[in-house]
mmCIF file with all atom_site columns, all heavy atoms in Angstrom:
data_model
loop_
_atom_site.group_PDB
_atom_site.id
_atom_site.type_symbol
_atom_site.label_atom_id
_atom_site.label_alt_id
_atom_site.label_comp_id
_atom_site.label_asym_id
_atom_site.label_entity_id
_atom_site.label_seq_id
_atom_site.pdbx_PDB_ins_code
_atom_site.Cartn_x
_atom_site.Cartn_y
_atom_site.Cartn_z
_atom_site.occupancy
_atom_site.B_iso_or_equiv
_atom_site.pdbx_formal_charge
_atom_site.auth_seq_id
_atom_site.auth_comp_id
_atom_site.auth_asym_id
_atom_site.auth_atom_id
_atom_site.pdbx_PDB_model_num
ATOM 1   N N   . ALA A 1 224 ? -55.832 109.975 17.829 1.00 44.00 ? 224 ALA A N   1
ATOM 2   C CA  . ALA A 1 224 ? -54.932 110.865 18.568 1.00 44.00 ? 224 ALA A CA  1
ATOM 3   C C   . ALA A 1 224 ? -55.694 111.611 19.641 1.00 44.00 ? 224 ALA A C   1
ATOM 4   O O   . ALA A 1 224 ? -56.783 112.118 19.397 1.00 44.00 ? 224 ALA A O   1
ATOM 5   C CB  . ALA A 1 224 ? -54.282 111.849 17.610 1.00 44.00 ? 224 ALA A CB  1
ATOM 6   N N   . PRO A 1 225 ? -55.155 111.698 20.854 1.00 42.00 ? 225 PRO A N   1
ATOM 7   C CA  . PRO A 1 225 ? -55.842 112.406 21.928 1.00 42.00 ? 225 PRO A CA  1
ATOM 8   C C   . PRO A 1 225 ? -55.933 113.901 21.645 1.00 42.00 ? 225 PRO A C   1
ATOM 9   O O   . PRO A 1 225 ? -55.086 114.468 20.970 1.00 42.00 ? 225 PRO A O   1
ATOM 10  C CB  . PRO A 1 225 ? -54.963 112.140 23.154 1.00 42.00 ? 225 PRO A CB  1
ATOM 11  C CG  . PRO A 1 225 ? -53.607 111.871 22.579 1.00 42.00 ? 225 PRO A CG  1
ATOM 12  C CD  . PRO A 1 225 ? -53.836 111.183 21.276 1.00 42.00 ? 225 PRO A CD  1
ATOM 13  N N   . THR A 1 226 ? -56.958 114.543 22.139 1.00 41.00 ? 226 THR A N   1
ATOM 14  C CA  . THR A 1 226 ? -57.157 115.972 21.945 1.00 41.00 ? 226 THR A CA  1
ATOM 15  C C   . THR A 1 226 ? -56.081 116.754 22.677 1.00 41.00 ? 226 THR A C   1
ATOM 16  O O   . THR A 1 226 ? -55.768 116.478 23.832 1.00 41.00 ? 226 THR A O   1
ATOM 17  C CB  . THR A 1 226 ? -58.531 116.394 22.483 1.00 41.00 ? 226 THR A CB  1
ATOM 18  O OG1 . THR A 1 226 ? -59.511 115.583 21.853 1.00 41.00 ? 226 THR A OG1 1
ATOM 19  C CG2 . THR A 1 226 ? -58.808 117.844 22.183 1.00 41.00 ? 226 THR A CG2 1
ATOM 20  N N   . THR A 1 227 ? -55.459 117.705 22.010 1.00 41.00 ? 227 THR A N   1
ATOM 21  C CA  . THR A 1 227 ? -54.399 118.498 22.635 1.00 41.00 ? 227 THR A CA  1
ATOM 22  C C   . THR A 1 227 ? -54.989 119.468 23.642 1.00 41.00 ? 227 THR A C   1
ATOM 23  O O   . THR A 1 227 ? -56.181 119.780 23.623 1.00 41.00 ? 227 THR A O   1
ATOM 24  C CB  . THR A 1 227 ? -53.618 119.296 21.572 1.00 41.00 ? 227 THR A CB  1
ATOM 25  O OG1 . THR A 1 227 ? -54.511 120.210 20.952 1.00 41.00 ? 227 THR A OG1 1
ATOM 26  C CG2 . THR A 1 227 ? -53.029 118.369 20.531 1.00 41.00 ? 227 THR A CG2 1
ATOM 27  N N   . THR A 1 228 ? -54.131 119.987 24.499 1.00 38.00 ? 228 THR A N   1
ATOM 28  C CA  . THR A 1 228 ? -54.581 120.924 25.530 1.00 38.00 ? 228 THR A CA  1
ATOM 29  C C   . THR A 1 228 ? -55.131 122.194 24.892 1.00 38.00 ? 228 THR A C   1
ATOM 30  O O   . THR A 1 228 ? -56.161 122.732 25.337 1.00 38.00 ? 228 THR A O   1
ATOM 31  C CB  . THR A 1 228 ? -53.404 121.286 26.463 1.00 38.00 ? 228 THR A CB  1
ATOM 32  O OG1 . THR A 1 228 ? -52.855 120.097 26.998 1.00 38.00 ? 228 THR A OG1 1
ATOM 33  C CG2 . THR A 1 228 ? -53.875 122.188 27.586 1.00 38.00 ? 228 THR A CG2 1
ATOM 34  N N   . ALA A 1 229 ? -54.486 122.647 23.817 1.00 36.00 ? 229 ALA A N   1
ATOM 35  C CA  . ALA A 1 229 ? -54.938 123.876 23.152 1.00 36.00 ? 229 ALA A CA  1
ATOM 36  C C   . ALA A 1 229 ? -56.327 123.707 22.579 1.00 36.00 ? 229 ALA A C   1
ATOM 37  O O   . ALA A 1 229 ? -57.184 124.588 22.696 1.00 36.00 ? 229 ALA A O   1
ATOM 38  C CB  . ALA A 1 229 ? -53.958 124.256 22.047 1.00 36.00 ? 229 ALA A CB  1
ATOM 39  N N   . GLN A 1 230 ? -56.568 122.523 21.943 1.00 41.00 ? 230 GLN A N   1
ATOM 40  C CA  . GLN A 1 230 ? -57.879 122.270 21.366 1.00 41.00 ? 230 GLN A CA  1
ATOM 41  C C   . GLN A 1 230 ? -58.940 122.186 22.456 1.00 41.00 ? 230 GLN A C   1
ATOM 42  O O   . GLN A 1 230 ? -60.066 122.672 22.289 1.00 41.00 ? 230 GLN A O   1
ATOM 43  C CB  . GLN A 1 230 ? -57.846 120.974 20.578 1.00 41.00 ? 230 GLN A CB  1
ATOM 44  C CG  . GLN A 1 230 ? -57.038 121.059 19.272 1.00 41.00 ? 230 GLN A CG  1
ATOM 45  C CD  . GLN A 1 230 ? -56.897 119.693 18.603 1.00 41.00 ? 230 GLN A CD  1
ATOM 46  O OE1 . GLN A 1 230 ? -56.819 118.682 19.282 1.00 41.00 ? 230 GLN A OE1 1
ATOM 47  N NE2 . GLN A 1 230 ? -56.862 119.693 17.281 1.00 41.00 ? 230 GLN A NE2 1
ATOM 48  N N   . THR A 1 231 ? -58.589 121.600 23.558 1.00 40.00 ? 231 THR A N   1
ATOM 49  C CA  . THR A 1 231 ? -59.531 121.489 24.672 1.00 40.00 ? 231 THR A CA  1
ATOM 50  C C   . THR A 1 231 ? -59.896 122.874 25.211 1.00 40.00 ? 231 THR A C   1
ATOM 51  O O   . THR A 1 231 ? -61.073 123.163 25.465 1.00 40.00 ? 231 THR A O   1
ATOM 52  C CB  . THR A 1 231 ? -58.912 120.638 25.797 1.00 40.00 ? 231 THR A CB  1
ATOM 53  O OG1 . THR A 1 231 ? -58.541 119.363 25.271 1.00 40.00 ? 231 THR A OG1 1
ATOM 54  C CG2 . THR A 1 231 ? -59.910 120.433 26.931 1.00 40.00 ? 231 THR A CG2 1
ATOM 55  N N   . GLN A 1 232 ? -58.895 123.706 25.372 1.00 42.00 ? 232 GLN A N   1
ATOM 56  C CA  . GLN A 1 232 ? -59.153 125.046 25.907 1.00 42.00 ? 232 GLN A CA  1
ATOM 57  C C   . GLN A 1 232 ? -60.006 125.864 24.927 1.00 42.00 ? 232 GLN A C   1
ATOM 58  O O   . GLN A 1 232 ? -60.883 126.635 25.331 1.00 42.00 ? 232 GLN A O   1
ATOM 59  C CB  . GLN A 1 232 ? -57.813 125.757 26.147 1.00 42.00 ? 232 GLN A CB  1
ATOM 60  C CG  . GLN A 1 232 ? -57.033 125.171 27.322 1.00 42.00 ? 232 GLN A CG  1
ATOM 61  C CD  . GLN A 1 232 ? -55.658 125.805 27.453 1.00 42.00 ? 232 GLN A CD  1
ATOM 62  O OE1 . GLN A 1 232 ? -55.200 126.546 26.566 1.00 42.00 ? 232 GLN A OE1 1
ATOM 63  N NE2 . GLN A 1 232 ? -54.993 125.528 28.574 1.00 42.00 ? 232 GLN A NE2 1
ATOM 64  N N   . GLU A 1 233 ? -59.754 125.654 23.629 1.00 43.00 ? 233 GLU A N   1
ATOM 65  C CA  . GLU A 1 233 ? -60.527 126.389 22.614 1.00 43.00 ? 233 GLU A CA  1
ATOM 66  C C   . GLU A 1 233 ? -61.993 125.991 22.664 1.00 43.00 ? 233 GLU A C   1
ATOM 67  O O   . GLU A 1 233 ? -62.891 126.825 22.583 1.00 43.00 ? 233 GLU A O   1
ATOM 68  C CB  . GLU A 1 233 ? -59.939 126.106 21.225 1.00 43.00 ? 233 GLU A CB  1
ATOM 69  C CG  . GLU A 1 233 ? -60.602 126.902 20.117 1.00 43.00 ? 233 GLU A CG  1
ATOM 70  C CD  . GLU A 1 233 ? -60.004 126.624 18.775 1.00 43.00 ? 233 GLU A CD  1
ATOM 71  O OE1 . GLU A 1 233 ? -58.923 125.975 18.719 1.00 43.00 ? 233 GLU A OE1 1
ATOM 72  O OE2 . GLU A 1 233 ? -60.600 127.014 17.757 1.00 43.00 ? 233 GLU A OE2 1
ATOM 73  N N   . LYS A 1 234 ? -62.225 124.651 22.823 1.00 47.00 ? 234 LYS A N   1
ATOM 74  C CA  . LYS A 1 234 ? -63.614 124.171 22.885 1.00 47.00 ? 234 LYS A CA  1
ATOM 75  C C   . LYS A 1 234 ? -64.307 124.693 24.138 1.00 47.00 ? 234 LYS A C   1
ATOM 76  O O   . LYS A 1 234 ? -65.477 125.071 24.114 1.00 47.00 ? 234 LYS A O   1
ATOM 77  C CB  . LYS A 1 234 ? -63.630 122.636 22.877 1.00 47.00 ? 234 LYS A CB  1
ATOM 78  C CG  . LYS A 1 234 ? -63.289 122.046 21.513 1.00 47.00 ? 234 LYS A CG  1
ATOM 79  C CD  . LYS A 1 234 ? -63.347 120.524 21.573 1.00 47.00 ? 234 LYS A CD  1
ATOM 80  C CE  . LYS A 1 234 ? -63.026 119.924 20.209 1.00 47.00 ? 234 LYS A CE  1
ATOM 81  N NZ  . LYS A 1 234 ? -63.062 118.425 20.246 1.00 47.00 ? 234 LYS A NZ  1
ATOM 82  N N   . GLN A 1 235 ? -63.563 124.726 25.248 1.00 49.00 ? 235 GLN A N   1
ATOM 83  C CA  . GLN A 1 235 ? -64.160 125.222 26.501 1.00 49.00 ? 235 GLN A CA  1
ATOM 84  C C   . GLN A 1 235 ? -64.472 126.706 26.398 1.00 49.00 ? 235 GLN A C   1
ATOM 85  O O   . GLN A 1 235 ? -65.486 127.170 26.951 1.00 49.00 ? 235 GLN A O   1
ATOM 86  C CB  . GLN A 1 235 ? -63.177 124.982 27.665 1.00 49.00 ? 235 GLN A CB  1
ATOM 87  C CG  . GLN A 1 235 ? -63.036 123.494 28.012 1.00 49.00 ? 235 GLN A CG  1
ATOM 88  C CD  . GLN A 1 235 ? -61.996 123.264 29.087 1.00 49.00 ? 235 GLN A CD  1
ATOM 89  O OE1 . GLN A 1 235 ? -61.204 124.173 29.403 1.00 49.00 ? 235 GLN A OE1 1
ATOM 90  N NE2 . GLN A 1 235 ? -61.977 122.081 29.682 1.00 49.00 ? 235 GLN A NE2 1
ATOM 91  N N   . ALA A 1 236 ? -63.627 127.470 25.665 1.00 47.00 ? 236 ALA A N   1
ATOM 92  C CA  . ALA A 1 236 ? -63.867 128.897 25.507 1.00 47.00 ? 236 ALA A CA  1
ATOM 93  C C   . ALA A 1 236 ? -65.136 129.165 24.711 1.00 47.00 ? 236 ALA A C   1
ATOM 94  O O   . ALA A 1 236 ? -65.862 130.128 24.952 1.00 47.00 ? 236 ALA A O   1
ATOM 95  C CB  . ALA A 1 236 ? -62.670 129.560 24.818 1.00 47.00 ? 236 ALA A CB  1
ATOM 96  N N   . LYS A 1 237 ? -65.395 128.293 23.700 1.00 46.00 ? 237 LYS A N   1
ATOM 97  C CA  . LYS A 1 237 ? -66.605 128.457 22.900 1.00 46.00 ? 237 LYS A CA  1
ATOM 98  C C   . LYS A 1 237 ? -67.842 128.134 23.723 1.00 46.00 ? 237 LYS A C   1
ATOM 99  O O   . LYS A 1 237 ? -68.912 128.643 23.493 1.00 46.00 ? 237 LYS A O   1
ATOM 100 C CB  . LYS A 1 237 ? -66.536 127.549 21.677 1.00 46.00 ? 237 LYS A CB  1
ATOM 101 C CG  . LYS A 1 237 ? -65.465 128.005 20.664 1.00 46.00 ? 237 LYS A CG  1
ATOM 102 C CD  . LYS A 1 237 ? -65.437 127.066 19.494 1.00 46.00 ? 237 LYS A CD  1
ATOM 103 C CE  . LYS A 1 237 ? -64.421 127.497 18.441 1.00 46.00 ? 237 LYS A CE  1
ATOM 104 N NZ  . LYS A 1 237 ? -64.340 126.590 17.304 1.00 46.00 ? 237 LYS A NZ  1
#
Side-chain angles (χ1 to χ4, degrees):
T226 305
T227 63
T228 304
Q230 289 173 327
T231 304
Q232 289 175 350
E233 184 179 349
K234 287 181 179 179
Q235 290 176 347
K237 291 179 178 178

